[in-house]
Amino acid sequence: MKYICKKEYCTGCGICSLVCPKTCIHMIEDIEGFLFPEIDESKCINCGLCQNNCHILNNIESNIGKFYMGWNINDGVLLSSSSGGVFTALTTYIFANNGVVVGAEMEQKSRDLKHVIITSVKELDRIRLSKYYQSNCKCVFVDVKKYVNNNIPVLFCGTTCQIAALKNYLGKNYDSLITVDVLCHGVSSKKAVDAYIESKQKKYKKRVISIFFRVKSGKIGWMKSTRMKIIFDDNSTLITSNDTDTFFTAFNNNLILRESCYRCKYCGENRISDFTLADYWGIRENEITLKQKWYGVSLIIVNSQKAQNILNEVMTEIEIYNIDKESAIRNNLALLEPNSRPVERNFIFNLIRIKGFDRTIYELLKYYYIKTIIRHVLFKIIGEKNYIKISNYLRKYKHNI
């Protein structure tokens, strides 16, 4: 056997290497920093377990859920969360029922990202906040299976493909397993993040010791929280602009995603997890207060009766409202289709190796940055609200003609 599924569809979950009885499959990092299975054909006995457990080659039951918006009523929880703090409320329920929670933890020194198991609310900060590159989750699958086989509640949070991998590995449904997928734009690689950090170290001539992918601070809250917070070794801090940060502009323009993300089979309304959580970007101005716009609002999609029962149990911790799903879908592309693959994806990682991260992104997205600079100048001249009013009017005028 030379391959399990086509490389461009492989999500790097590692289940194939986990189930191989001859341990002849190893997950190897490619030149872009993404993990792929490598098969030692001399040891392979063609048992087929790898393909039988590959979630790309097998379908998983899915459902269309109910759409809500909500947020944690605790301001402290909101401040320490990327979005509306609903995930924290779910973990509280799990810990109250003597369960465990599984999520992605980034080790700040090495920037390695992997899934870990936590057993108390005191450990929750380890897996809070968003990460935009791929976590190694293979390391926890065996332990998750032990927990659910012993009827211990497990809340597993990850991307949809990671949840698909777990479900295929488990082989059956468990009442004790609650899955939460973080609605996914795609994943980048640690190599891309390292190259981004290297550019910042070169520019500021200081070593980076910590990064945080989304922050709510100062006058800028949740609505513009796609900003990087960087802490240097002299304890100085850099918080980048939400619309000019090179990592986020590259990520949001689909330049540095894993190849499988452009072909994701889990996009759309049909969800395989119990809960789907996301930022509710489709919210209207009059739906929430200015305070809540700063703190954050979650989109909550409840995809199973199990999830609905748990949501009913945590109502005392969150404020929740039914919403029109069209507004949520319209502003979250992953509920419609995978992201388009730009032609620059063919060579961007090579360019990053040659020119560095920041220079590459500035060159590839130069027209975006020109428009952004013009927009900022207009903000100062006519004000942001007037700029938005004029832009909306011009869009309607263009549409009418």
Side-chain angles (χ1 to χ4, degrees):
M1 183 179 290
K2 293 184 178 180
Y3 61 87
I4 297 157
C5 69
K6 291 182 178 179
K7 184 176 180 180
E8 60 266 32
Y9 289 92
C10 175
T11 66
C13 68
I15 290 297
C16 53
S17 66
L18 190 62
V19 300
C20 179
K22 294 297 182 179
T23 62
C24 65
I25 303 174
H26 302 281
M27 301 304 293
I28 306 298
E29 192 177 279
D30 74 352
I31 196 169
E32 296 177 347
F34 297 106
L35 290 174
F36 289 94
E38 187 174 278
I39 304 169
D40 183 344
E41 295 178 61
S42 66
K43 295 181 180 179
C44 178
I45 58 173
N46 289 305
C47 65
L49 282 174
C50 54
Q51 291 185 322
N52 290 338
N53 283 273
C54 176
H55 67 91
I56 294 300
L57 300 177
N58 297 277
N59 292 322
I60 297 173
E61 181 183 352
S62 62
N63 297 291
I64 294 178
K66 297 178 181 179
F67 284 65
Y68 303 91
M69 72 169 180
W71 54 83
N72 203 296
I73 61 173
N74 185 310
D75 288 353
V77 170
L78 283 168
L79 190 60
S80 58
S81 303
S82 293
S83 187
V86 173
F87 175 68
T88 297
L90 299 180
T91 64
T92 303
Y93 168 84
I94 295 297
F95 291 136
N97 285 275
N98 300 312
V100 300
V101 176
V102 186
E105 177 186 35
M106 180 175 66
E107 203 285 308
Q108 285 289 352
K109 188 174 182 180
S110 65
R111 288 188 285 279
D112 288 336
L113 184 61
K114 65 179 181 180
H115 268 58
V116 296
I117 298 173
I118 63 171
T119 58
S120 73
V121 70
K122 293 179 181 178
E123 299 176 275
L124 199 51
D125 282 343
R126 293 174 58 191
I127 60 173
R128 269 200 183 112
L129 300 177
S130 301
K131 297 93 178 175
Y132 285 76
Y133 58 107
Q134 192 163 31
S135 169
N136 183 345
C137 58
K138 169 192 165 185
C139 51
V140 300
F141 286 152
V142 173
D143 289 329
V144 168
K145 191 169 189 175
K146 290 177 182 176
Y147 279 116
V148 293
N149 276 331
N150 288 308
N151 206 32
I152 296 172
V154 175
L155 179 70
F156 185 98
C157 180
T159 59
T160 319
C161 58
Q162 290 173 331
I163 290 170
L166 173 63
K167 287 193 169 188
N168 256 29
Y169 173 67
L170 294 176
K172 66 176 184 177
N173 293 323
Y174 287 86
D175 290 337
S176 53
L177 176 66
I178 301 99
T179 53
V180 178
D181 79 86
V182 180
L183 193 63
C184 186
H185 179 90
V187 293
S188 189
S189 70
K190 181 175 177 289
K191 273 194 175 181
V193 176
D194 287 344
Y196 167 84
I197 294 300
E198 186 178 339
S199 287
K200 292 294 178 281
Q201 291 182 151
K202 186 176 180 180
K203 178 179 179 179
Y204 294 98
K205 297 179 173 56
K206 293 184 283 188
R207 186 171 63 87
V208 172
I209 59 172
S210 298
I211 59 169
F212 300 91
F213 283 87
R214 290 179 59 184
V215 291
K216 304 169 186 174
S217 62
K219 295 181 180 180
I220 305 298
W222 166 71
M223 290 292 282
K224 294 184 178 180
S225 62
T226 50
R227 304 178 300 157
M228 194 79 76
K229 180 179 180 180
I230 298 172
I231 302 175
F232 295 100
D233 57 359
D234 62 355
N235 291 323
S236 61
T237 299
L238 170 69
I239 298 180
T240 61
S241 170
N242 70 296
D243 56 358
T244 60
D245 178 84
T246 52
F247 182 85
F248 281 117
T249 52
F251 186 85
N252 292 330
N253 282 279
N254 308 332
L255 293 175
I256 53 174
L257 306 182
R258 187 182 178 103
E259 288 289 358
S260 59
C261 298
Y262 306 110
R263 303 162 177 84
C264 180
K265 65 187 261 189
Y266 304 110
C267 290
E269 285 187 68
N270 289 80
R271 314 304 298 172
I272 66 168
S273 55
D274 296 301
F275 289 97
T276 298
L277 296 181
D279 295 279
Y280 184 26
W281 297 127
I283 197 162
R284 298 181 182 91
E285 289 285 330
N286 60 351
E287 285 186 284
I288 54 171
T289 63
L290 287 174
K291 174 188 174 183
Q292 203 56 51
K293 282 176 67 176
W294 194 96
Y295 275 112
V297 181
S298 292
L299 170 65
I300 311 158
I301 310 176
V302 177
N303 307 307
S304 68
Q305 187 58 51
K306 184 197 304 183
Q308 188 64 60
N309 294 340
I310 294 172
L311 189 66
N312 294 339
E313 291 286 334
V314 301
M315 286 293 191
T316 56
E317 294 186 49
I318 59 175
E319 196 163 337
I320 189 167
Y321 301 90
N322 288 293
I323 61 169
D324 174 18
K325 71 176 183 179
E326 275 66 38
S327 63
I329 293 172
R330 187 168 56 249
N331 290 277
N332 284 284
L333 183 64
L335 292 169
L336 288 172
E337 59 188 1
N339 290 301
S340 59
R341 185 184 187 277
V343 66
E344 293 88 352
R345 180 60 179 82
N346 293 331
F347 51 79
I348 187 170
F349 280 90
N350 284 330
L351 274 185
I352 288 172
R353 281 193 297 274
I354 296 167
K355 297 185 175 183
F357 194 93
D358 283 0
R359 183 181 170 189
T360 296
I361 304 308
Y362 287 138
E363 289 183 3
L364 292 181
L365 297 176
K366 60 183 176 181
Y367 294 114
Y368 166 85
Y369 280 104
I370 289 171
K371 288 191 291 185
T372 300
I373 291 169
I374 293 172
R375 186 171 70 247
H376 285 178
V377 171
L378 289 173
F379 279 0
K380 291 181 180 180
I381 296 172
I382 65 175
E384 185 172 353
K385 288 186 178 179
N386 289 328
Y387 175 87
I388 293 171
K389 286 180 181 178
I390 294 171
S391 297
N392 290 337
Y393 173 79
L394 291 175
R395 284 195 198 97
K396 289 180 181 178
Y397 177 77
K398 183 179 179 181
H399 177 73
N400 291 334
I401 62 173

